[in-house]
Structure formats: structure tokens, C-alpha cells
Amino acid sequence: MPGDDFRFTTELSHLDASKLDRAEAREVEGLYRAKEYLATEFRQRLIAVESERDLLQTKVDRLQAERDALRDRLDGLEAERGTVAPDRLVASLGDALASARDDLSAADYAIGRIEVDLKANVVGGADGPQFQLPDLAESVDRAALSTLRFDLRPAARTDETAAYDPIPDVRDRSLDEAREAIRRAGFAVGEVTTEPGDADDVVLDQFPSPRSVAEPGTAIDLTVSERRDVDVPAVIGHDLSDATAALSAAGLGVGEIDAETRDDPPDVVVGQTLAAGEAVPVGTAVDLTVSAGPAEEASESEEMNERATETAASPDLEAVSGIGPTYADRLRAADIDDLPTLLDRDPAEVAEITRASTSRVEDWFEHAKRLLEAE
């Protein structure tokens, strides 16, 4: 808020606004809103400070508990400081190294050879030599202490770390080829699902993804294409745009479009090459015949017929090698309906939309450019 010099008083809530002019009323209203804004801001900051305070208090409590545990440990060591048996000393060192090993292992490190020099008094005892360790606070003559040197090495591990192998890339291969490649790499074929495509049994996607790693024997799920037949919809009597949309929704394309002089309104479909209800493969192109209108209106619809012919001549998305009905539907759902629109998008964005690999999308772009240049 601006740093205006003003103060809120209790009289503000009892102010008689009827005695103020419009400018004064707006100013008072602004001050009241500023007060509400600052109050809300202060409440939010207070909540944040209280949350931070609670978090810090939790950390303080944990540190205090750790401090108390260390104090108890130090008190215990101080009480036992008199003499330490050799086996007790070695066991303590082993426990400390085991703890350090676990911490380092979590960070992908391991303990190698360690040399330890220990200064202590060696005294006799009923059970053999004993070590007298000096107190940390007392002053001692280091030259009068004996040096005990330890050379510690990690024990040989009996368990073997599991090996991981790279996942092979089997996309764009036939299902049989993919199965063989997965078997040779030491993995297993998992669940196989299908999606409509231009051909049968071509791998469209896989999980885990290529270039990742997994343990030998891991199952790799595959998504393969399946060429399916669809029924041709009846589009006679429909407007050309509606007929095109109906064919596209059925997984079919539009082939050649001819215009004939008819009594029907212009651009109404009066014929189709494949009969309605006929079962054809996905992606099949259906030729259409549209009305150019009555003879006297033919000249008026000439420009519209030319546009329809240009639309039919322009390559469809599925004319690009590798773009089948499934990928085309995903592109159209993202408002990518033709090749110029496709080339305006970034390959990485198209890969995300279609869930295809970036390399495959780049191949689409190259083929789409060649198709447009050939027009």
C-alpha cells in the first residue's frame, strides 16, 4: 500500500457519512479499505510467522533431545573412563564405523582402508592389558602415552548388488521383432494392448520407456497398432463441411470432390463412391460429388467449387508417413487440422500431444514439408 501518513481511529466506524461530500466519502472509503487490506495482510503474515515458529520449535525440541542423548552418552563414557578392555575398544570402533558406513552408503560412498592412531596408557590388569584413555579436559603429556595403530579394511560382502540393463527401443518394429529384441536383451514381454493404426502389430509405445534401465527379467508392456474396419457413414444430402466432419469422425478421409449441376443447393453432397454401411479399413478415402446448384447458378458457385477442389487437393494429416488415425485424432483434438498448422508447432509440443517420440515427430515434419513442396 502507498506510504500515506494516516491513522485509523475508533471514530472511523462511527463517522456520519451523510455530512461528507463525495470526495471526502471516497477518501474515507479508501482509508477503510486500506485498513481492511492491512489487517488481512497482517493476519496472513501472523499465520506464516506462527507456522514458522512451530516448525522451529519442532526442530529445537529434536535438537534438545539429541543434545540430552549425547550428554547421557558422555556421562556414561565419563563414568567408564577408568580402563577399557581391548575387545571393548575394538567393538566401539566397529560400531562407529558401521554407523558411518550406513550414512556413506546412502550417499553412494563406501569406506575403504582406515588407519587409526590411538594415544592411551597401557596398564596391566587381572584380565590382561587394559587401556586408560585420558579425559578430554585434562592436560597430559602425549610423549608419555602409548601409540596404538589400527589398520581397518572393509569386510568382503557376500551379497551381490543387483545388475541393471538398458531397456531396448522396440517402437516402430513389428510385434514379432519386438518380442525377439526384448528376449535377447534379457527382459520379458508384459501386457500387449492395441490402438487403431495404419497397419497390424506395429509397436506404437512401450513401458518402461527406452534408454531407461531395469533388472533382468523385467516385463515390458507394449502398445501395438491394429488395423480396424469401420462402416462408411451416409453423407448424401449433407453439406460438404458436415460430410467431411462425419467421415473424419468415423476414421475415414475425403478423396476427390467433383461438382455437378443439380437442383440441390450448392455444396450439398449428392453422391459418394463407397456406399453407406460398407465396411472398409480405417483411413480409407471416400470420393464425394457435390451439387454446383442449378445451371443458372453454376457460375455463382464456381469459386466455391474451386475452394472445395483446393481443400481436397491439400494433403491430409494422415498423408504423412507414420501419422495414422490415432495420431491424427490427437492432433485434431489440439486444433492441428492440416499440414501448415502442424509445421507451425514445435516438435516437442507435438510429441507431447500425440505421445509419440520426438524423433518420430521430426520425421513427420520432414515428410510434411516434402508434401507441401510437391503441391
Side-chain angles (χ1 to χ4, degrees), residues 177-257:
E177 293 175 344
R179 291 181 188 273
E180 180 63 20
I182 291 171
R183 185 192 63 78
R184 288 198 307 268
F187 299 98
V189 177
E191 182 180 1
V192 178
T193 58
T194 60
E195 286 187 3
D198 298 330
D200 286 327
D201 293 338
V202 175
V203 177
L204 303 176
D205 203 357
Q206 66 180 89
F207 181 84
S209 61
R211 294 180 292 277
S212 59
V213 295
E215 295 182 11
T218 299
I220 301 177
D221 297 334
L222 302 176
T223 301
V224 299
S225 62
E226 182 183 31
R227 189 174 182 86
R228 300 175 183 173
D229 290 342
V230 296
D231 293 335
V232 178
V235 295
I236 295 178
H238 292 250
D239 185 82
L240 177 60
S241 59
D242 294 337
T244 302
L247 292 172
S248 176
L252 303 174
V254 177
E256 296 182 0
I257 300 178

Coordinates of all heavy atoms in Angstrom, one line a residue, residues 177-257:
E177 N 9.2 -58.9 -34.1 CA 10.6 -58.3 -33.9 C 10.8 -57.8 -32.5 O 11.9 -57.9 -31.9 CB 10.9 -57.2 -35.0 CG 10.9 -57.8 -36.4 CD 11.0 -56.6 -37.4 OE1 10.8 -55.5 -37.0 OE2 11.4 -56.9 -38.6
A178 N 9.8 -57.1 -32.0 CA 9.9 -56.5 -30.7 C 10.1 -57.6 -29.6 O 10.9 -57.5 -28.7 CB 8.7 -55.6 -30.4
R179 N 9.3 -58.7 -29.8 CA 9.4 -59.8 -28.8 C 10.8 -60.4 -28.8 O 11.4 -60.6 -27.8 CB 8.4 -60.9 -29.2 CG 6.9 -60.5 -28.9 CD 6.1 -61.7 -29.3 NE 4.6 -61.4 -29.3 CZ 3.9 -61.5 -28.2 NH1 4.4 -61.8 -27.0 NH2 2.6 -61.2 -28.2
E180 N 11.4 -60.6 -30.0 CA 12.7 -61.1 -30.1 C 13.8 -60.2 -29.5 O 14.7 -60.6 -28.8 CB 13.0 -61.4 -31.6 CG 14.4 -62.1 -31.8 CD 14.6 -63.4 -31.2 OE1 13.5 -64.0 -30.8 OE2 15.7 -63.8 -31.0
A181 N 13.6 -58.9 -29.8 CA 14.6 -57.9 -29.2 C 14.6 -57.9 -27.7 O 15.6 -57.8 -27.0 CB 14.4 -56.5 -29.8
I182 N 13.4 -57.9 -27.2 CA 13.2 -57.9 -25.7 C 13.8 -59.2 -25.1 O 14.5 -59.1 -24.1 CB 11.7 -57.8 -25.4 CG1 11.2 -56.4 -25.7 CG2 11.5 -58.0 -23.9 CD1 9.7 -56.2 -25.6
R183 N 13.6 -60.3 -25.8 CA 14.1 -61.6 -25.2 C 15.6 -61.6 -25.3 O 16.3 -62.0 -24.3 CB 13.6 -62.7 -26.1 CG 14.0 -64.1 -25.6 CD 13.6 -65.2 -26.6 NE 14.4 -65.0 -27.8 CZ 15.7 -65.3 -28.0 NH1 16.3 -65.9 -26.9 NH2 16.3 -65.1 -29.1
R184 N 16.2 -61.1 -26.4 CA 17.7 -61.0 -26.5 C 18.3 -60.1 -25.4 O 19.4 -60.4 -25.0 CB 18.1 -60.6 -27.9 CG 17.9 -61.6 -29.0 CD 18.7 -61.3 -30.2 NE 18.5 -59.9 -30.6 CZ 17.6 -59.5 -31.5 NH1 16.8 -60.5 -32.1 NH2 17.4 -58.3 -31.9
A185 N 17.6 -59.1 -25.1 CA 18.1 -58.1 -24.1 C 17.9 -58.6 -22.6 O 18.4 -58.0 -21.7 CB 17.4 -56.8 -24.2
G186 N 17.3 -59.8 -22.5 CA 17.2 -60.4 -21.1 C 15.9 -59.9 -20.4 O 15.8 -60.1 -19.2
F187 N 14.9 -59.4 -21.1 CA 13.7 -59.0 -20.5 C 12.5 -59.8 -20.9 O 12.7 -60.7 -21.8 CB 13.4 -57.5 -20.8 CG 14.5 -56.6 -20.3 CD1 15.5 -56.1 -21.1 CD2 14.5 -56.2 -18.9 CE1 16.4 -55.2 -20.7 CE2 15.5 -55.3 -18.5 CZ 16.4 -54.9 -19.3
A188 N 11.3 -59.6 -20.4 CA 10.1 -60.3 -20.8 C 9.1 -59.4 -21.3 O 9.1 -58.2 -21.0 CB 9.6 -61.1 -19.5
V189 N 8.2 -59.9 -22.2 CA 7.1 -59.2 -22.8 C 6.0 -59.2 -21.8 O 5.5 -60.2 -21.3 CB 6.7 -59.7 -24.1 CG1 5.5 -58.9 -24.7 CG2 7.9 -59.7 -25.1
G190 N 5.5 -58.0 -21.4 CA 4.4 -57.9 -20.5 C 3.1 -57.8 -21.2 O 2.8 -58.5 -22.1
E191 N 2.2 -56.9 -20.7 CA 0.9 -56.7 -21.3 C 1.0 -56.1 -22.7 O 1.7 -55.1 -22.9 CB 0.0 -55.9 -20.4 CG -1.4 -55.7 -20.9 CD -2.2 -54.9 -19.9 OE1 -1.7 -54.4 -18.9 OE2 -3.4 -54.7 -20.2
V192 N 0.2 -56.6 -23.6 CA 0.2 -56.1 -25.0 C -1.2 -55.5 -25.2 O -2.2 -56.3 -25.2 CB 0.5 -57.2 -26.0 CG1 0.4 -56.6 -27.5 CG2 1.9 -57.7 -25.8
T193 N -1.3 -54.2 -25.5 CA -2.6 -53.6 -25.8 C -2.6 -53.0 -27.2 O -1.5 -52.9 -27.8 CB -2.9 -52.4 -24.8 OG1 -1.8 -51.5 -24.8 CG2 -3.0 -52.9 -23.3
T194 N -3.8 -52.8 -27.7 CA -3.9 -52.3 -29.1 C -4.5 -50.9 -29.2 O -5.3 -50.6 -28.4 CB -4.7 -53.3 -30.0 OG1 -6.0 -53.4 -29.4 CG2 -4.0 -54.7 -29.9
E195 N -4.1 -50.2 -30.3 CA -4.8 -49.0 -30.7 C -4.9 -49.0 -32.2 O -4.2 -49.6 -32.9 CB -3.9 -47.8 -30.3 CG -3.9 -47.5 -28.8 CD -3.1 -46.2 -28.5 OE1 -2.7 -45.5 -29.4 OE2 -3.0 -45.8 -27.3
P196 N -6.0 -48.3 -32.7 CA -6.2 -48.2 -34.1 C -4.9 -47.7 -34.8 O -4.3 -46.7 -34.3 CB -7.4 -47.3 -34.3 CG -8.1 -47.4 -33.0 CD -7.0 -47.6 -32.0
G197 N -4.5 -48.2 -36.0 CA -3.4 -47.7 -36.7 C -3.5 -48.0 -38.2 O -4.5 -48.6 -38.6
D198 N -2.4 -47.7 -38.9 CA -2.4 -47.9 -40.3 C -2.1 -49.4 -40.7 O -2.4 -49.8 -41.8 CB -1.3 -47.0 -41.0 CG -1.7 -45.5 -40.7 OD1 -2.8 -45.2 -40.6 OD2 -0.7 -44.7 -40.7
A199 N -1.4 -50.1 -39.8 CA -1.1 -51.5 -40.1 C -1.3 -52.3 -38.8 O -1.5 -51.8 -37.7 CB 0.4 -51.6 -40.6
D200 N -1.2 -53.6 -39.0 CA -1.4 -54.5 -37.8 C 0.0 -54.8 -37.1 O 1.0 -54.9 -37.8 CB -2.0 -55.9 -38.3 CG -3.5 -55.7 -38.6 OD1 -4.1 -54.9 -38.0 OD2 -3.9 -56.4 -39.5
D201 N -0.1 -54.9 -35.8 CA 1.0 -55.3 -35.0 C 2.3 -54.5 -35.2 O 3.4 -55.1 -35.3 CB 1.3 -56.8 -35.3 CG 0.2 -57.7 -34.8 OD1 -0.6 -57.3 -33.9 OD2 0.1 -58.8 -35.3
V202 N 2.2 -53.2 -35.2 CA 3.4 -52.3 -35.2 C 3.4 -51.7 -33.8 O 2.4 -51.1 -33.3 CB 3.3 -51.3 -36.3 CG1 4.5 -50.3 -36.1 CG2 3.4 -51.9 -37.7
V203 N 4.6 -51.7 -33.1 CA 4.7 -51.2 -31.8 C 4.6 -49.7 -31.8 O 5.4 -49.0 -32.5 CB 6.0 -51.7 -31.1 CG1 6.1 -51.0 -29.7 CG2 6.1 -53.2 -31.0
L204 N 3.6 -49.1 -31.1 CA 3.5 -47.7 -31.1 C 4.1 -47.1 -29.8 O 4.6 -45.9 -29.9 CB 2.0 -47.3 -31.1 CG 1.1 -47.8 -32.2 CD1 -0.3 -47.5 -32.0 CD2 1.6 -47.2 -33.5
D205 N 4.1 -47.8 -28.7 CA 4.7 -47.3 -27.5 C 5.1 -48.4 -26.6 O 4.6 -49.6 -26.8 CB 3.7 -46.4 -26.8 CG 4.3 -45.4 -25.8 OD1 5.6 -45.5 -25.7 OD2 3.6 -44.6 -25.2
Q206 N 5.9 -48.2 -25.6 CA 6.3 -49.2 -24.7 C 6.5 -48.6 -23.3 O 6.8 -47.4 -23.1 CB 7.6 -49.8 -25.1 CG 8.8 -48.8 -25.1 CD 10.1 -49.5 -25.6 OE1 10.4 -49.5 -26.8 NE2 10.9 -50.0 -24.7
F207 N 6.4 -49.5 -22.3 CA 6.7 -49.1 -20.9 C 7.4 -50.3 -20.2 O 6.9 -51.4 -20.2 CB 5.4 -48.7 -20.1 CG 5.7 -48.3 -18.7 CD1 6.0 -47.0 -18.4 CD2 5.6 -49.2 -17.7 CE1 6.3 -46.6 -17.1 CE2 5.9 -48.8 -16.4 CZ 6.2 -47.5 -16.1
P208 N 8.6 -50.1 -19.5 CA 9.3 -48.8 -19.3 C 9.8 -48.3 -20.7 O 9.9 -49.0 -21.7 CB 10.5 -49.2 -18.5 CG 10.0 -50.5 -17.8 CD 9.2 -51.2 -18.8
S209 N 10.1 -47.0 -20.7 CA 10.5 -46.3 -21.9 C 11.9 -46.6 -22.3 O 12.7 -47.1 -21.4 CB 10.4 -44.8 -21.7 OG 11.3 -44.3 -20.6
P210 N 12.3 -46.5 -23.5 CA 13.6 -46.8 -24.0 C 14.6 -45.9 -23.3 O 14.3 -44.8 -22.7 CB 13.6 -46.4 -25.5 CG 12.1 -46.4 -25.9 CD 11.4 -46.0 -24.6
R211 N 15.9 -46.4 -23.2 CA 17.0 -45.7 -22.6 C 16.9 -45.6 -21.1 O 17.8 -45.0 -20.5 CB 17.2 -44.3 -23.2 CG 17.6 -44.3 -24.7 CD 17.7 -42.9 -25.2 NE 16.5 -42.2 -25.3 CZ 15.6 -42.3 -26.3 NH1 15.8 -43.2 -27.3 NH2 14.4 -41.7 -26.3
S212 N 15.9 -46.2 -20.5 CA 15.9 -46.4 -19.0 C 16.6 -47.7 -18.7 O 16.9 -48.5 -19.6 CB 14.5 -46.3 -18.5 OG 13.7 -47.3 -19.1
V213 N 16.7 -48.0 -17.4 CA 17.4 -49.3 -17.1 C 16.4 -50.0 -16.1 O 15.6 -49.4 -15.4 CB 18.7 -49.1 -16.4 CG1 19.7 -48.5 -17.3 CG2 18.6 -48.2 -15.1
A214 N 16.6 -51.4 -16.1 CA 15.7 -52.2 -15.2 C 16.5 -53.5 -14.9 O 17.4 -53.9 -15.6 CB 14.4 -52.5 -15.8
E215 N 16.0 -54.2 -13.9 CA 16.6 -55.5 -13.6 C 16.3 -56.5 -14.7 O 15.2 -56.5 -15.3 CB 16.1 -56.0 -12.3 CG 16.4 -55.2 -11.1 CD 15.9 -55.8 -9.8 OE1 15.5 -56.9 -9.8 OE2 16.0 -55.1 -8.8
P216 N 17.2 -57.5 -15.0 CA 16.9 -58.5 -16.0 C 15.6 -59.3 -15.6 O 15.3 -59.5 -14.5 CB 18.1 -59.4 -15.9 CG 19.2 -58.5 -15.4 CD 18.6 -57.6 -14.4
G217 N 14.9 -59.6 -16.7 CA 13.6 -60.3 -16.5 C 12.4 -59.4 -16.3 O 11.3 -59.8 -16.2
T218 N 12.6 -58.0 -16.2 CA 11.5 -57.1 -16.0 C 10.6 -57.2 -17.2 O 11.0 -57.3 -18.4 CB 12.0 -55.7 -15.9 OG1 12.8 -55.6 -14.7 CG2 10.9 -54.7 -15.8
A219 N 9.3 -57.1 -17.0 CA 8.3 -57.2 -18.1 C 8.1 -55.8 -18.7 O 8.0 -54.8 -18.0 CB 6.9 -57.7 -17.5
I220 N 8.1 -55.8 -20.1 CA 8.0 -54.6 -20.8 C 6.6 -54.6 -21.5 O 6.3 -55.5 -22.3 CB 9.1 -54.4 -21.9 CG1 10.5 -54.4 -21.2 CG2 8.9 -53.2 -22.7 CD1 11.6 -54.3 -22.2
D221 N 5.7 -53.7 -21.1 CA 4.4 -53.6 -21.7 C 4.5 -52.9 -23.1 O 5.2 -51.9 -23.3 CB 3.5 -52.8 -20.8 CG 3.3 -53.5 -19.5 OD1 3.4 -54.8 -19.4 OD2 3.0 -52.8 -18.5
L222 N 3.7 -53.4 -24.0 CA 3.7 -52.9 -25.4 C 2.3 -52.4 -25.8 O 1.3 -53.0 -25.4 CB 4.2 -53.9 -26.4 CG 5.6 -54.5 -26.1 CD1 5.9 -55.6 -27.1 CD2 6.7 -53.5 -26.1
T223 N 2.3 -51.3 -26.6 CA 1.1 -50.8 -27.3 C 1.3 -51.0 -28.7 O 2.2 -50.4 -29.3 CB 0.8 -49.4 -26.9 OG1 0.6 -49.3 -25.5 CG2 -0.5 -48.9 -27.6
V224 N 0.5 -51.8 -29.4 CA 0.7 -52.1 -30.8 C -0.5 -51.6 -31.6 O -1.6 -51.4 -31.1 CB 0.9 -53.6 -31.1 CG1 2.1 -54.1 -30.3 CG2 -0.3 -54.4 -30.6
S225 N -0.3 -51.3 -32.9 CA -1.4 -50.9 -33.8 C -2.2 -52.0 -34.2 O -1.8 -53.2 -34.3 CB -0.8 -50.1 -35.0 OG 0.0 -51.0 -35.7
E226 N -3.5 -51.7 -34.6 CA -4.4 -52.7 -35.1 C -5.3 -52.0 -36.2 O -5.9 -51.0 -35.9 CB -5.3 -53.2 -34.0 CG -6.3 -54.3 -34.5 CD -7.2 -54.8 -33.3 OE1 -7.5 -54.0 -32.5 OE2 -7.6 -55.9 -33.4
R227 N -5.1 -52.6 -37.4 CA -5.9 -52.0 -38.5 C -7.3 -52.5 -38.4 O -7.6 -53.7 -38.4 CB -5.3 -52.4 -39.8 CG -5.9 -51.7 -41.0 CD -5.2 -52.1 -42.3 NE -5.7 -51.4 -43.4 CZ -5.3 -50.2 -43.8 NH1 -4.4 -49.5 -43.1 NH2 -5.9 -49.6 -44.9
R228 N -8.3 -51.6 -38.2 CA -9.7 -52.0 -38.0 C -10.6 -51.5 -39.1 O -10.3 -50.5 -39.8 CB -10.2 -51.4 -36.7 CG -9.3 -51.9 -35.4 CD -9.8 -51.2 -34.2 NE -9.0 -51.6 -33.0 CZ -9.1 -51.0 -31.8 NH1 -9.9 -50.1 -31.6 NH2 -8.3 -51.4 -30.8
D229 N -11.6 -52.2 -39.4 CA -12.6 -51.8 -40.4 C -13.7 -51.0 -39.7 O -14.1 -51.2 -38.5 CB -13.2 -53.0 -41.0 CG -12.3 -53.8 -41.9 OD1 -11.3 -53.1 -42.3 OD2 -12.5 -54.9 -42.3
V230 N -14.2 -50.0 -40.4 CA -15.3 -49.1 -39.9 C -16.3 -49.1 -41.0 O -16.1 -49.3 -42.2 CB -14.8 -47.7 -39.6 CG1 -13.8 -47.7 -38.4 CG2 -14.2 -47.0 -40.8
D231 N -17.6 -48.7 -40.6 CA -18.7 -48.6 -41.5 C -18.7 -47.2 -42.1 O -18.6 -46.2 -41.4 CB -20.0 -48.9 -40.8 CG -20.1 -50.4 -40.4 OD1 -19.4 -51.2 -41.0 OD2 -20.9 -50.6 -39.4
V232 N -18.9 -47.1 -43.4 CA -18.9 -45.8 -44.1 C -20.3 -45.1 -43.7 O -21.3 -45.7 -43.9 CB -18.8 -46.0 -45.6 CG1 -19.0 -44.6 -46.3 CG2 -17.5 -46.7 -46.0
P233 N -20.2 -43.9 -43.2 CA -21.4 -43.2 -42.8 C -22.1 -42.7 -44.1 O -21.5 -42.5 -45.1 CB -21.0 -42.1 -41.9 CG -19.6 -41.8 -42.4 CD -19.0 -43.1 -42.8
A234 N -23.4 -42.5 -44.0 CA -24.2 -41.9 -45.1 C -24.1 -40.4 -45.0 O -24.5 -39.8 -44.0 CB -25.7 -42.3 -45.0
V235 N -23.5 -39.8 -46.1 CA -23.3 -38.4 -46.1 C -24.1 -37.7 -47.2 O -24.0 -36.4 -47.4 CB -21.8 -38.0 -46.2 CG1 -21.1 -38.5 -44.9 CG2 -21.2 -38.6 -47.4
I236 N -24.8 -38.4 -48.1 CA -25.6 -37.8 -49.1 C -26.7 -37.0 -48.5 O -27.4 -37.4 -47.6 CB -26.2 -38.9 -50.1 CG1 -25.0 -39.6 -50.8 CG2 -27.1 -38.3 -51.1 CD1 -25.5 -40.8 -51.7
G237 N -26.8 -35.7 -49.1 CA -27.8 -34.8 -48.5 C -27.2 -33.9 -47.5 O -27.9 -32.9 -47.1
H238 N -26.0 -34.1 -47.0 CA -25.4 -33.3 -46.0 C -24.6 -32.2 -46.7 O -24.1 -32.3 -47.9 CB -24.4 -34.1 -45.1 CG -25.2 -35.1 -44.3 ND1 -25.2 -34.9 -42.9 CD2 -25.8 -36.2 -44.5 CE1 -25.9 -35.9 -42.4 NE2 -26.3 -36.7 -43.3
D239 N -24.4 -31.1 -46.0 CA -23.4 -30.1 -46.5 C -22.0 -30.6 -46.5 O -21.7 -31.5 -45.8 CB -23.5 -28.9 -45.6 CG -22.7 -27.7 -46.1 OD1 -23.1 -27.0 -47.0 OD2 -21.5 -27.6 -45.6
L240 N -21.2 -30.1 -47.4 CA -19.8 -30.7 -47.6 C -19.0 -30.6 -46.3 O -18.4 -31.6 -46.0 CB -19.1 -29.9 -48.7 CG -17.6 -30.3 -49.0 CD1 -17.6 -31.8 -49.4 CD2 -17.0 -29.4 -50.0
S241 N -19.1 -29.5 -45.6 CA -18.4 -29.5 -44.3 C -18.9 -30.5 -43.3 O -18.1 -31.1 -42.6 CB -18.5 -28.1 -43.7 OG -19.8 -27.7 -43.5
D242 N -20.2 -30.7 -43.2 CA -20.7 -31.7 -42.3 C -20.3 -33.1 -42.7 O -20.0 -34.0 -41.9 CB -22.3 -31.6 -42.2 CG -22.7 -30.3 -41.6 OD1 -21.9 -29.7 -40.9 OD2 -23.8 -29.8 -41.9
A243 N -20.3 -33.3 -44.1 CA -20.0 -34.7 -44.6 C -18.5 -35.0 -44.3 O -18.1 -36.1 -43.9 CB -20.2 -34.7 -46.1
T244 N -17.6 -33.9 -44.4 CA -16.2 -34.1 -44.1 C -16.0 -34.4 -42.7 O -15.2 -35.3 -42.3 CB -15.4 -32.9 -44.5 OG1 -15.6 -32.6 -45.9 CG2 -13.9 -33.0 -44.2
A245 N -16.7 -33.7 -41.8 CA -16.6 -34.0 -40.4 C -17.1 -35.4 -40.0 O -16.5 -36.0 -39.1 CB -17.4 -32.9 -39.6
A246 N -18.2 -35.8 -40.6 CA -18.7 -37.2 -40.3 C -17.7 -38.2 -40.8 O -17.5 -39.2 -40.0 CB -20.1 -37.3 -41.0
L247 N -17.1 -38.1 -41.9 CA -16.1 -39.0 -42.4 C -14.9 -39.1 -41.5 O -14.4 -40.1 -41.1 CB -15.7 -38.7 -43.8 CG -16.8 -39.0 -44.9 CD1 -16.3 -38.4 -46.2 CD2 -17.2 -40.4 -45.0
S248 N -14.5 -37.9 -41.1 CA -13.3 -37.8 -40.2 C -13.6 -38.5 -38.8 O -12.8 -39.2 -38.3 CB -12.9 -36.4 -40.0 OG -11.8 -36.2 -39.1
A249 N -14.8 -38.2 -38.3 CA -15.2 -38.8 -37.0 C -15.2 -40.4 -37.1 O -15.0 -41.1 -36.1 CB -16.5 -38.3 -36.6
A250 N -15.5 -40.9 -38.3 CA -15.6 -42.3 -38.5 C -14.2 -42.9 -38.8 O -14.0 -44.1 -39.0 CB -16.5 -42.7 -39.6
G251 N -13.1 -42.1 -38.8 CA -11.8 -42.6 -39.1 C -11.5 -42.7 -40.6 O -10.6 -43.4 -41.0
L252 N -12.3 -42.0 -41.4 CA -12.1 -42.1 -42.9 C -11.6 -40.7 -43.4 O -11.8 -39.7 -42.7 CB -13.4 -42.5 -43.5 CG -14.0 -43.8 -43.1 CD1 -15.3 -44.1 -43.7 CD2 -13.0 -45.0 -43.4
G253 N -11.1 -40.7 -44.6 CA -10.7 -39.5 -45.2 C -11.6 -39.1 -46.4 O -12.4 -39.8 -46.8
V254 N -11.3 -37.9 -46.9 CA -12.1 -37.4 -48.0 C -11.2 -37.4 -49.2 O -10.0 -36.9 -49.2 CB -12.6 -35.9 -47.8 CG1 -13.3 -35.4 -49.1 CG2 -13.5 -35.9 -46.6
G255 N -11.6 -38.1 -50.3 CA -10.8 -38.2 -51.5 C -11.1 -37.1 -52.5 O -11.1 -35.9 -52.1
E256 N -11.4 -37.4 -53.7 CA -11.7 -36.4 -54.7 C -13.1 -35.9 -54.6 O -14.0 -36.6 -54.2 CB -11.5 -37.0 -56.1 CG -10.1 -37.4 -56.4 CD -9.9 -37.9 -57.9 OE1 -11.0 -37.9 -58.6 OE2 -8.8 -38.3 -58.2
I257 N -13.2 -34.6 -54.8 CA -14.6 -33.9 -54.7 C -14.9 -33.4 -56.1 O -14.2 -32.5 -56.7 CB -14.6 -32.8 -53.7 CG1 -14.2 -33.4 -52.3 CG2 -15.9 -32.1 -53.7 CD1 -14.1 -32.3 -51.2

